[in-house]
Amino acid sequence: MAVAIPPFDRPRANGAELKYPVIESTLQQANVLLVGNPNAGKTTLFNQLTGMRLKTANFPGTTLEVRRGALVIDEFEHHLYDMPGLYSLHAASAEEATALEVIRKTASVGECVVILIVDATNLVRNLFLAGQVLELGAPTVVALNMIDLSRRAGTRIDTEVLARHLGCPVVPLCARSGEGIRELKAALGEVIANNRAPEPPLLLRNAERPTHALRYDWAERVVESCAEYAADPFAKRTEAIDRVLTHPVSGIAVFASILFLVFYLIFSLATVPMDLIDGAFGSIGDWVSRMLGDGLLSGMLVDGVIAGVGGVLVFLPQICVLFFCISLLEDTGYLARAACLMDRVLRPFGLPGKAFVPMLSAHACAIPAIMSARVIENRNDRLVTILVLPLMTCSARLPVYAMITALLFPASPLQGALVFTGAYALGIGAAVCMAWVFRRALVRTETAPLMIELPDYKMPSIKTALLAAYDRGFVFVRKAGTVILCISVILWWLMTFPQTEAPSDIGGAAASQYTLEHSFAGQLGKTIEPVIAPLGFDWRIGVGIIASFAAREVLVSSLSVIY
């Protein structure tokens, strides 16, 4: 159980004398919030401070999920929370609004310590948020990250002068290499022990409600007093790369090549573990069948529980590879360029440029694709994107496509390849067309204009990418897996009961079909038969459709039993 930091007096800006008391404390465990701009290296610093000792946590009274890790300082273990990236204390999305509510509430009553991470290569923009966070009055340590890149660019930052302006300790560091981590922990331990509220900047004392312009003016004055800039040797190189990667022609070619590489990795690297998982669960099912014999318990365990768990875990390798690749692309800075590039393509259909990330994910599985739609800040844009994602061709449909191709063109590989290509093209076309329809019939608003920061190009962190793959894989198994498992058990029950004995003159597969026809699933199939009859389907395919609610690929095994 976390011990709350005792409340302290808040600074007042009404002309009265300011008091910043030091509260003596025997605190051994504190809640530490890691706050900063996106792309400031927050996740990398989190990994350095926790050593990847983390778990998902919910703040009391909210539905916000954040990563929580153990931060050890002077043999005391504290809770470190990785908050979503923020540009200011004015929310742009529902997730940010919840995060801001947590920050404001915990800071205002003295229940947290803040590590404010600041990008040393972009001080003015980062200090805009810093001024707002310092105004909250929570004990704060500023982590001046990417100091190595700042030095390479010829920038000299006087951290002592910066600390006097901010009224709190400033520690220069490089989260990627670990430089300055020991000093950051020492400063943080001292702040936790003393519970010292930061000395608010002069801006916050002299203005009761500083405007955006006033805050930026203050940030620029602070930077002028503490930093000396040289000509950036990397600016021309970045501009030269951007001219290629964001060009309407060459940019699309590079983007297509990267997508091809990602797809290749998904379907090549994940094949071996997927086959192993599928074979392992098949062997487990056979062993349980031999041990228990025929019966209801054996059927529920094999066809319900084991098949349901296996149907979830078999796609875990693809999901992990996908999010590993996405994390690498984001870490390099390319993902922001790709969003700008795709915004030109998707906007006419009512989709934002950032929708390409969920649409890419949907080709592996629609569930993690819907999870990744949180990168879209605007609620309406996010809703339209989520609605069209199930139309994309995911890997679970491949067995269905393979079955149809084998039935229609068993001796023509060329025609079979065209069927597969057409299926993928049809999914993408249906998605963008339905987005256009939803935008005009359901969500009658214009697509929000794309405003995105183009971060500097950096070498990606393999450690961060592995952690992202682990996080997303764990969330998939925990959230989607439980639902699919429950549906699998329910479908087994529907296809088993009521148990009807087949006539004595019927045997083999015909007996199984007779039993299935008179089950609850068979009755449901006959109920929906009038709806699907115009497509040429009968009740048997209706049963397969019902079974596919657990997983799309279940359609193949269901039809093989029925027919």
Side-chain angles (χ1 to χ4, degrees):
M1 181 67 67
V3 180
I5 298 173
F8 48 83
D9 293 339
R10 297 288 309 281
R12 300 180 182 275
N14 57 4
E17 182 181 357
L18 295 170
K19 296 181 180 180
Y20 304 96
V22 176
I23 301 176
E24 296 298 330
S25 174
T26 59
L27 187 67
Q28 296 184 2
Q29 192 173 62
N31 295 318
V32 183
L33 306 185
L34 187 55
V35 181
N37 284 181
N39 303 309
K42 196 161 49 66
T43 300
T44 306
L45 179 59
F46 178 85
N47 295 338
Q48 284 283 4
L49 291 174
T50 62
M52 297 178 68
R53 299 186 300 275
L54 57 92
K55 66 177 183 178
T56 304
N58 283 84
F59 278 95
T62 75
T63 57
L64 174 69
E65 272 197 352
V66 299
R67 292 190 304 159
R68 189 185 80 186
L71 171 60
V72 179
I73 301 176
D74 297 331
E75 299 181 356
F76 295 122
E77 185 175 287
H78 308 284
H79 296 315
L80 178 64
Y81 293 92
D82 186 10
M83 307 301 292
L86 305 167
Y87 286 110
S88 73
L89 295 188
H90 298 285
S93 66
E95 185 182 38
E96 287 184 0
T98 309
L100 291 173
E101 183 180 359
V102 170
I103 294 172
R104 285 196 176 100
K105 284 185 176 180
T106 55
S108 63
V109 297
E111 291 185 350
C112 73
V113 176
V114 174
I115 298 179
L116 180 59
I117 186 165
V118 171
D119 182 358
T121 65
N122 201 334
L123 274 178
V124 173
R125 176 174 52 75
N126 282 245
L127 289 181
F128 180 90
L129 174 65
Q132 294 179 315
V133 173
L134 292 171
E135 189 178 15
L136 298 176
T140 303
V141 176
V142 172
L144 189 62
N145 192 29
M146 302 186 193
I147 196 67
D148 57 327
L149 299 180
S150 177
R151 291 170 185 156
R152 287 170 56 190
T155 303
R156 294 197 309 171
I157 301 175
D158 191 328
T159 55
E160 293 184 1
V161 174
L162 180 59
R164 287 199 296 271
H165 278 286
L166 301 182
C168 63
V170 175
V171 180
L173 57 86
C174 175
R176 190 175 304 277
S177 66
E179 175 192 349
I181 297 298
R182 182 181 302 176
E183 291 78 5
L184 176 64
K185 286 186 175 182
L188 186 61
E190 184 178 349
V191 168
I192 291 175
N194 294 331
N195 257 354
R196 185 185 296 276
E199 182 87 13
L202 288 174
L203 166 73
L204 306 181
R205 302 186 204 183
N206 299 331
E208 188 168 345
R209 287 191 176 181
T211 63
H212 279 62
L214 187 58
R215 289 187 183 278
Y216 272 116
D217 183 59
W218 167 79
E220 289 174 353
R221 293 202 308 269
V222 171
V223 172
E224 288 175 0
S225 66
C226 69
E228 296 180 8
Y229 289 92
D232 188 354
F234 305 104
K236 292 184 178 180
R237 184 186 65 180
T238 300
E239 292 177 2
I241 297 175
D242 283 344
R243 278 196 293 269
V244 176
L245 295 185
T246 60
H247 191 273
V249 178
S250 61
I252 292 291
V254 173
F255 179 73
S257 302
I258 292 176
L259 286 188
F260 174 80
L261 179 60
V262 170
F263 277 124
Y264 176 79
L265 292 175
I266 290 173
F267 290 107
S268 60
L269 293 181
T271 300
V272 174
M274 288 178 71
D275 292 341
L276 291 176
I277 293 172
D278 189 43
F281 276 92
S283 300
I284 294 173
D286 294 340
W287 180 79
V288 172
S289 296
R290 289 195 303 270
M291 294 295 294
L292 299 180
D294 294 333
L296 290 179
L297 179 60
S298 175
M300 184 189 71
L301 291 177
V302 174
D303 300 326
V305 177
I306 296 176
V309 173
V312 173
L313 295 184
V314 73
F315 294 105
L316 184 60
Q318 285 188 330
I319 292 170
C320 291
V321 172
L322 173 67
F323 279 101
F324 177 80
C325 294
I326 289 178
S327 179
L328 289 180
L329 292 174
E330 182 179 17
D331 216 11
T332 59
Y334 176 74
L335 214 56
R337 274 82 180 177
C340 292
L341 188 68
M342 294 307 297
D343 192 66
R344 307 167 187 164
V345 179
L346 298 177
R347 183 168 294 277
F349 298 97
L351 290 170
K354 289 186 178 181
F356 93 92
V357 175
M359 294 175 76
L360 171 64
S361 306
H363 284 88
C365 181
I367 296 172
I370 292 174
M371 290 161 50
S372 65
R374 65 177 58 190
V375 302
I376 304 173
E377 294 88 356
N378 184 272
R379 181 183 180 277
N380 291 333
D381 291 348
R382 187 165 62 248
L383 175 61
V384 173
T385 303
I386 290 174
L387 288 174
V388 302
L389 289 179
L391 298 174
M392 309 294 287
T393 299
C394 70
S395 56
R397 297 182 184 180
L398 294 182
V400 182
Y401 292 164
M403 177 189 69
I404 295 174
T405 303
L407 290 174
L408 296 178
F409 308 107
S412 177
L414 177 60
Q415 290 177 311
L418 290 175
V419 169
F420 264 79
T421 304
Y424 272 88
L426 180 63
I428 297 173
V432 295
C433 290
M434 288 308 299
W436 186 86
V437 173
F438 287 142
R439 181 61 72 176
R440 283 152 182 80
L442 186 62
V443 184
R444 297 181 180 179
T445 59
E446 293 295 327
T447 307
L450 179 65
M451 296 183 65
I452 189 171
E453 177 190 5
L454 297 182
D456 295 331
Y457 291 103
K458 301 186 293 288
M459 288 296 295
S461 170
I462 302 297
K463 182 179 179 180
T464 300
L466 289 173
L467 181 59
Y470 169 80
D471 280 350
R472 294 297 96 195
F474 177 77
V475 171
F476 167 76
V477 172
R478 183 169 60 87
K479 289 190 174 181
T482 52
V483 175
I484 294 177
L485 175 60
C486 291
I487 293 177
S488 299
V489 174
I490 292 172
L491 287 174
W492 169 84
W493 185 84
L494 290 175
M495 299 175 71
T496 305
F497 295 97
Q499 293 184 301
T500 306
E501 292 290 336
S504 57
D505 58 338
I506 299 178
S512 299
Q513 181 176 337
Y514 180 87
T515 302
L516 182 61
E517 179 181 357
H518 290 82
S519 68
F520 290 123
Q523 296 173 30
L524 287 174
K526 291 182 177 180
T527 301
I528 67 173
E529 187 174 24
V531 179
I532 61 178
L535 299 174
F537 298 161
D538 61 4
W539 70 270
R540 287 177 282 257
I541 296 182
V543 173
I545 293 173
I546 294 172
S548 68
F549 275 90
R552 295 182 178 100
E553 66 275 13
V554 173
L555 176 68
V556 178
S557 59
S558 300
L559 294 182
S560 67
V561 172
I562 297 172
Y563 283 95

